[in-house]
Every structure is written in C-alpha cells, then in structure tokens.
Amino acid sequence: MTDSIAEMDEIVHEPSQAFVESTNVWEFMQTYGIDDYEALIERTTTDIDGVPDSGVDWFWDELVDYLGIEFYEDYDQIRDDTEGPQFTDWYPGGELNIAHNVVDRHAAPDNERRNKVATIWEGEDGKIREVTYHELHRQANQVANALEQRGIETGDTVGLYMPMVPEVVSILYGCFKIGAIAVPIFSGFGVDATATRIEDPECSVLVTGDGFLRRGDPITLKETTDEAIAQADTDVESVIVYDRLGASDPDTDLSIPMTEGRDEWWADAVATQSD
C-alpha cells in the first residue's frame, strides 16, 4: 500500500509553460491577479478578509460574466444551500438554455466563431468530419423541428440508441432546444438493457442507426432496436434511423427491417426540416 501511494505522488507529466499559458484557467488567474494553484483554490472557496473578490459566491457569480453565459431570466441569488451543501440549488430564479449558450450564440452571423469547428469526429475507418458552429446550429434546429413535428414537448423523453457519429451532438442539442430530455443508450447494449432504457423513461421517439463499424466489420443495430421496442412496455410512436452503413441505398446488399408508419430514415425525417 505504501509503495502504491508513493507511485501516485510521482509526477509523470508536467506541461510546458507555453501550454499552461494557453489555458482558460491561466487566463482567468491573470485577469484576477491569482498567482498559483493554491491561491486559485483559496480565492474561489474562501471569503478572504480584505479581498472582496473572493469566496464561493463571488467566483460562481463572476464566472457567469467571465464566460459570457446568457440567461433569459436573471437569477435571484447565486445559490440556496438551506437544505445542505449537497442539495444546493444553483442560480435560483434564473432561466437559460444550454443549446443557446453552447451552440446558437456562437453561430450568430456577427460571431467570429460562426465558421470555426465545433466538433471533430474520426470514424473507425479513418474518415474525418469537421462540423462548424453554424452547421451544428442548423442541424440541431432541424432535429428540434423534427421532434416537435412528432409531438415532443418540454419534459418529454427522446431515446438516443445511436452509433458514434457527429449527428449525436445535433440530436442532443436539438432535444435541449425544445426542453426535451435526451436518454443516451449505449449502442453496444443488448435487447434487455436497451428495452429497459426505453421503457423506464417512456420514450415515445427513438433515434437510432442502421448500424456501425467494429474492427472493420459492419454491425447492424436496427434488429436489436426493433426487438427492444417490442419488449419494452411503452409505446414508441416514431423511430428515426440514421444511415451509417448505407442501408438506405437501394443498390446496397445490406438490408435492415423498417416498420411502415413508424420508422423513417434520417434523410426524410430530419434533413428535410427547416434549419
């Protein structure tokens, strides 16, 4: 045990000063005259005598302005910990939307980040896709419109039984835009585990894919999706299927089951929506 603890105390990597000075934490420390890590922890957790810019409330209030986080309704106070610190209610009275803060405001026509890369994805086959804030904003809007068209409202749940593709990010923020709850379901789960995760939150809409690549081989996903839906004790009214393997191509040898009236390809259900 002693030897293990000693090994944990060994520094195995120390970043260069140039790297340190490129970080957001370093920039924040320079802005507020904080010299080192220990001073950072003290300033952000302790009310220091004679230093008004210190303490938990100062830090979390200042951070909102420092990061430019935009609230639709301003908060009444920083935190309410009357139920104990483990049950702290942060920014009570405030209202915001994470999709606006993470995507939309950066995609605004006058924002310098609009055409900068928001997501970098590399598939198992080496294919790389880069998605800008503008592109992510538009596709997330299409997802939101598709979900609303299928009756999804604030507080409703949407299942994401998806392969690892960049569209997962668009689906997530599309859910956030309309106040829906995204329910991630690992694409490696079998029927029982998937059925449970569809049933418990009562997902009425499920977004999935035709399959994915694993060690170079195509693995279909739609059959498992259908079996899980049949097993789950809830009514999945709409299934949107993303084409990862090319199953929607009429000339492909890959065939997956599609239930008429319930299942739609992503290209028809989402890509046709207003952005």
Side-chain angles (χ1 to χ4, degrees):
M1 176 66 78
T2 303
D3 291 342
S4 298
I5 293 175
E7 290 175 3
M8 289 174 61
D9 287 340
E10 179 186 356
I11 297 175
V12 296
H13 171 71
E14 189 167 340
S16 67
Q17 187 62 26
F19 179 83
V20 169
E21 294 180 7
S22 72
T23 65
N24 292 328
V25 174
W26 171 267
E27 183 179 300
F28 178 87
M29 291 168 64
Q30 299 311 296
T31 300
Y32 297 99
I34 301 173
D35 295 330
D36 53 35
Y37 176 77
E38 287 72 21
L40 173 67
I41 297 303
E42 183 181 22
R43 281 279 295 276
T44 58
T45 62
T46 307
D47 292 314
I48 304 172
D49 290 340
V51 183
D53 293 344
S54 65
V56 174
D57 288 345
W58 164 76
F59 174 66
W60 289 104
D61 190 26
E62 191 66 25
L63 206 59
V64 169
D65 293 332
Y66 183 79
L67 296 177
I69 297 173
E70 298 177 0
F71 281 76
Y72 294 129
E73 294 289 341
D74 201 6
Y75 45 90
D76 301 323
Q77 62 185 101
I78 309 305
R79 58 184 174 135
D80 179 0
D81 59 359
T82 54
E83 299 293 327
Q86 70 272 38
F87 300 113
T88 297
D89 185 13
W90 290 95
Y91 306 111
E95 292 185 5
L96 54 72
N97 189 289
I98 191 172
H100 169 75
N101 279 283
V102 177
V103 180
D104 294 357
R105 67 193 179 105
H106 302 297
D110 59 348
N111 194 302
E112 63 177 10
R113 295 188 186 91
R114 175 179 173 86
N115 294 311
K116 291 187 176 181
V117 174
T119 301
I120 303 174
W121 172 86
E122 182 173 354
E124 184 182 297
D125 55 2
K127 182 179 181 180
I128 296 175
R129 288 176 55 194
E130 295 183 347
V131 183
T132 67
Y133 283 98
H134 184 207
E135 291 167 335
L136 178 57
H137 165 75
R138 293 171 61 186
Q139 192 171 74
N141 287 343
Q142 290 181 311
V143 171
N145 284 324
L147 294 176
E148 283 194 332
Q149 189 180 75
R150 284 152 185 79
I152 296 296
E153 299 177 346
T154 299
D156 290 342
T157 53
V158 177
L160 278 65
Y161 188 41
M162 285 288 291
M164 291 299 291
V165 290
E167 280 71 17
V168 170
V169 183
S170 303
I171 299 168
L172 188 66
Y173 286 113
C175 288
F176 293 160
K177 281 174 175 288
I178 59 174
I181 301 169
V183 181
I185 306 171
F186 174 47
S187 59
F189 280 156
V191 173
D192 291 347
T194 303
T196 298
R197 285 157 178 80
I198 294 172
E199 179 178 324
D200 283 355
E202 299 180 340
C203 299
S204 62
V205 173
L206 183 68
V207 189
T208 187
D210 56 355
F212 52 91
L213 296 176
R214 178 183 292 165
R215 297 177 182 173
D217 295 324
I219 306 296
T220 56
L221 189 62
K222 185 58 167 55
E223 293 88 344
T224 305
T225 303
D226 289 348
E227 291 180 40
I229 291 173
Q231 184 172 310
D233 186 18
T234 192
D235 186 16
V236 177
E237 299 174 359
S238 178
V239 176
I240 299 173
V241 185
Y242 179 79
D243 186 349
R244 171 72 176 98
L245 300 177
S248 66
D249 186 343
D251 296 327
T252 185
D253 294 331
L254 179 63
S255 177
I256 66 168
M258 295 286 284
T259 300
E260 187 174 353
R262 186 197 68 184
D263 300 351
E264 296 177 87
W265 288 107
W266 173 278
D268 299 321
V270 177
T272 56
Q273 296 288 333
S274 168
D275 62 6

